[in-house]
Amino acid sequence: MRFTNLYFIIFTLAVCTNSQAVVLSEIMFNPEGEEGSDEFIELYNESSLPVNLTGWTLSDGEGTDTLTGLEMGLTAGPRQYILILDPDYFEDESITYDALIPESALVITIIGSTFGSRGLSNSSSETVSIMQSNGNVVAMHSYDIETSAGHSTEKYLMNGGDSAENWGQSLSIHGTPGARNSITPPDYDLAIEQIEASPQHPNPNEEFTISITVANHGLNPASDSLFLFEMTNQYDSLGTALASWLSPLLSYGDSAVFTSSLHMGEQSAGYYRASLKTSDDISENNTAFLTVGASAGAGSIVINEIMFQPLAGRSEWIELYNCSPASIVLDGWFFSDGSGLADSSKRFPIQSTIMDSNSYMLLAADSSVFIENITEGTPVHIWNSSYPSLNNAGDSLVLFDAQGQTIDRVDYRTNWGSGTAGLSLERVSVLSSSNDPLNWASSLDASGATPGRLNSRALIAAAAGDKLIELEPNPFSPDGDGREDVLSIRYHLDEADSRLDIKIFDVRGRQVRFLSNNMPAGFQGEILWDGKSDSGRELPTGMYIIYLEALGQGGNRIQSDRRVVALARPS
């Protein structure tokens, strides 16, 4: 009996002296439900000992209320939340929080009709204070009235004090009455905070480094194993392990960086995954993905085919083509469309993917695109309701990379094709200007389009190589039959900053067309000719001389050459 009495004395002393461990943790001053009954104040006993709240009071700066127990009394257990509900919550039989309050919470109320003198104010900040029975202030906080209606103001860290920096709006409607705050960090949460490559866009056969940042977002110190995998594609769930590390013991807010030096192969693009071994309170941040690939310059990926006027029940779609020699990562890229020509104000995201050299990708309005005869293996991105509508009267289509650089732009018009429903608008040459009307024509394919494969109108030719001028096809026949209707004039210059003149003469030496006048030119490029004169007159069958002259910055001639082409029209 003497031992039992001594234990009771020690237990009572612990209860009495442990009051400083009680903190304010949550204040609901602007509930979504009935304001007269649904306000609440929450406390938390962060110690390992119980606390008796008999005689304790709370104040809003204008009135003071005494805490009173319900079925569970007034003793808060260790690590227990104490939920103080307005008396009217019970009087008015409110059920707003009934499904949210866990059984582990101590639910109490106050003696009186409402918090303070007239409840907690929504129009001006009030200071909520908690006092022991002897009047000593245990906790005090002045809440921010900018909190959205129905959301409480919560404490981030229970041991972080009552300054404004340690409080924020609840992430949950109705708050978290009697439970862990929604903005409080989890107990255990190691996270892969960042994964990046340097250089960001390595070229084929170039060395690069992957850096992985692991941070501790949890309250308790933690360590774990980290693995880096290379995947065959973005859907590979296994991959090949490239490196592994054991992180140091990280405290809350600390981080560590792990690096791996790698070699980019000929494929010039790759998928990588970093993963932590152990699952913790937040498993979603234990894995991160990185797509590494060559940078994309303007014209490296082009808009290659447009189905803006499909048959009834069919989908609108756009085809992209990678005409560069390297694989390119479309990560963070956007496609833009507006309400008509010259309007590219609306931007739509493109799913992350790798486009290999000479590969295609479709951007489609809806899943009915799969009715089309799409080449197997062609990636298809379905936009559904957020798809940009392609106008039959003409539209501006723009492809942007992740930095907002314009990769390609087409301002198509209805007169570029036949205007027949079910026939796509095909690009003739990937080397020629995207906005040259001669570079677009209606599909000649029996199905009406060539999604994921070579366009029926495509000019097939080798690059100019070391020749200054290359003409294809030669002869050409601009008779409107869809076969060899335009002449491709490809050039290869010694200087990238040259300006180009291209003139066309008949066999009698008369100039019939000034095709290019002081045009800026890179090392190589292409210009199309439709067999017409400067005035738009169809030139007759015959031999014509293509004369090219590359000029330097001072206007002096650097290079020149001439070639003969045969123009054939039906008799």
Side-chain angles (χ1 to χ4, degrees):
M1 176 64 76
R2 292 177 60 192
F3 176 81
T4 302
N5 289 339
L6 179 60
Y7 176 82
F8 177 77
I9 293 170
I10 294 173
F11 179 81
T12 303
L13 181 62
V15 171
C16 293
T17 58
N18 196 44
S19 59
Q20 294 298 327
V22 175
V23 298
L24 268 170
S25 58
E26 187 174 3
I27 303 170
M28 174 63 82
F29 63 89
N30 188 16
E32 185 181 56
E34 177 57 44
E35 190 167 330
S37 61
D38 287 356
E39 293 180 342
F40 70 78
I41 295 171
E42 182 190 82
L43 311 178
Y44 178 67
N45 177 14
E46 61 175 343
S47 78
S48 58
L49 296 172
V51 176
N52 192 316
L53 304 176
T54 300
W56 283 40
T57 59
L58 65 81
S59 171
D60 66 351
E62 295 185 4
T64 301
D65 302 290
T66 301
L67 305 186
T68 184
L70 298 171
E71 295 178 358
M72 300 174 66
L74 277 173
T75 298
R79 310 283 192 270
Q80 187 177 33
Y81 289 92
I82 305 109
L83 179 61
I84 310 170
L85 289 172
D86 190 291
D88 287 339
Y89 186 84
F90 307 99
E91 290 289 335
D92 298 345
E93 299 182 349
S94 175
I95 60 171
T96 303
Y97 307 121
D98 288 9
L100 301 177
I101 302 172
E103 293 183 1
S104 59
L106 174 63
V107 180
I108 64 176
T109 186
I110 58 173
I111 299 173
S113 60
T114 186
F115 290 121
S117 61
R118 296 182 300 276
L120 302 176
S121 175
N122 301 339
S123 59
S124 61
S125 176
E126 291 187 327
T127 300
V128 176
S129 305
I130 303 295
M131 284 82 67
Q132 296 174 259
S133 57
N134 60 9
N136 290 338
V137 177
V138 173
M140 177 188 298
H141 175 65
S142 300
Y143 57 79
D144 183 358
I145 62 171
E146 298 302 321
T147 303
S148 302
H151 290 262
S152 63
T153 179
E154 295 181 342
K155 178 175 283 187
Y156 285 103
L157 301 177
M158 294 299 127
N159 60 356
D162 287 317
S163 65
E165 291 75 17
N166 196 35
W167 288 77
Q169 177 173 302
S170 173
L171 302 177
S172 307
I173 188 69
H174 302 312
T176 54
R180 188 188 189 97
N181 288 350
S182 62
I183 64 175
T184 296
D187 289 331
Y188 293 94
D189 182 26
L190 274 184
I192 298 178
E193 196 168 68
Q194 186 178 51
I195 179 170
E196 58 183 354
S198 179
Q200 185 177 3
H201 300 291
N203 294 314
N205 298 311
E206 184 180 3
E207 301 293 327
F208 68 100
T209 300
I210 289 181
S211 300
I212 308 165
T213 302
V214 175
N216 187 4
H217 296 169
L219 297 177
N220 296 320
S223 173
D224 200 3
S225 297
L226 174 67
F227 298 90
L228 177 64
F229 299 90
E230 182 176 23
M231 304 180 296
T232 56
N233 56 58
Q234 57 187 328
Y235 307 107
D236 185 359
S237 60
L238 298 176
T240 302
L242 299 179
S244 64
W245 305 268
L246 178 64
S247 74
L249 189 66
L250 299 174
S251 299
Y252 173 66
D254 289 346
S255 62
V257 178
F258 306 88
T259 61
S260 179
S261 297
L262 302 173
H263 178 82
M264 179 60 70
E266 291 288 348
Q267 79 278 8
S268 70
Y271 289 101
Y272 301 90
R273 182 181 79 248
S275 299
L276 291 166
K277 179 180 180 181
T278 307
S279 295
D280 49 25
D281 294 343
I282 308 293
S283 59
E284 292 81 2
N285 55 24
N286 290 350
T287 301
F289 298 89
L290 176 67
T291 306
V292 180
S295 60
S300 55
I301 293 180
V302 297
I303 299 168
N304 196 55
E305 190 172 1
I306 307 168
M307 178 61 82
F308 64 86
Q309 193 176 3
L311 295 172
R314 300 289 186 95
S315 172
E316 296 179 340
W317 51 266
I318 299 153
E319 179 190 77
L320 304 180
Y321 174 67
N322 181 2
C323 55
S324 76
S327 298
I328 295 176
V329 179
L330 276 66
D331 188 15
W333 285 40
F334 287 85
F335 192 84
S336 178
D337 169 58
S339 58
L341 286 169
D343 181 8
S344 58
S345 56
K346 299 177 183 177
R347 296 192 179 189
F348 303 85
I350 299 174
Q351 67 185 24
S352 179
T353 190
I354 291 178
M355 287 191 69
D356 293 329
S357 177
N358 299 315
S359 70
Y360 302 87
M361 178 180 181
L362 292 188
L363 311 177
D366 55 63
S367 58
S368 65
V369 70
F370 293 109
I371 300 175
E372 306 286 349
N373 184 21
I374 303 173
T375 302
E376 184 178 354
T378 302
V380 179
H381 175 67
I382 305 296
W383 263 308
N384 291 318
S385 60
S386 63
Y387 182 76
S389 178
L390 304 181
N391 299 317
N392 294 348
D395 218 337
S396 293
L397 309 178
V398 189
L399 180 64
F400 296 98
D401 66 9
Q403 287 71 46
Q405 175 189 2
T406 298
I407 302 301
D408 194 27
R409 176 173 185 140
V410 177
D411 301 308
Y412 71 83
R413 273 81 167 170
T414 53
N415 60 3
W416 285 10
S418 66
T420 304
L423 295 184
S424 70
L425 194 60
E426 292 185 349
R427 190 182 190 117
V428 175
S429 173
V430 297
L431 297 179
S432 289
S433 169
S434 298
N435 276 318
D436 185 346
L438 297 179
N439 202 24
W440 294 90
S442 293
S443 176
L444 295 174
D445 192 84
S447 65
T450 54
R453 59 187 185 273
L454 184 70
N455 287 348
S456 64
R457 293 282 197 164
L459 279 175
I460 306 173
D466 293 331
K467 294 181 180 179
L468 182 58
I469 307 177
E470 190 78 22
L471 305 179
E472 293 187 9
N474 191 3
F476 79 111
S477 55
D479 53 10
D481 65 352
R483 305 292 181 184
E484 301 179 339
D485 280 338
V486 293
L487 174 70
S488 166
I489 305 170
R490 291 191 173 98
Y491 58 86
H492 187 283
L493 307 178
D494 294 338
E495 304 290 338
D497 58 351
S498 301
R499 305 189 77 84
L500 201 63
D501 282 354
I502 298 179
K503 301 175 183 179
I504 301 175
F505 300 88
D506 64 15
V507 291
R508 300 173 65 179
R510 296 174 298 186
Q511 181 177 312
V512 294
R513 186 73 182 266
F514 201 164
L515 197 60
S516 171
N517 184 4
N518 203 32
M519 181 189 77
F523 282 114
Q524 60 185 7
E526 178 185 67
I527 294 178
L528 302 178
W529 181 42
D530 58 359
K532 294 181 180 179
S533 68
D534 284 329
S535 63
R537 179 175 60 90
E538 291 186 351
L539 295 171
T541 296
M543 308 300 289
Y544 292 86
I545 300 166
I546 312 296
Y547 177 71
L548 180 148
E549 191 174 52
L551 307 175
Q553 292 185 352
N556 56 309
R557 184 171 62 187
I558 299 175
Q559 291 175 274
S560 65
D561 199 0
R562 67 193 68 201
R563 289 284 186 274
V564 176
V565 64
L567 187 158
R569 295 188 187 276
S571 56

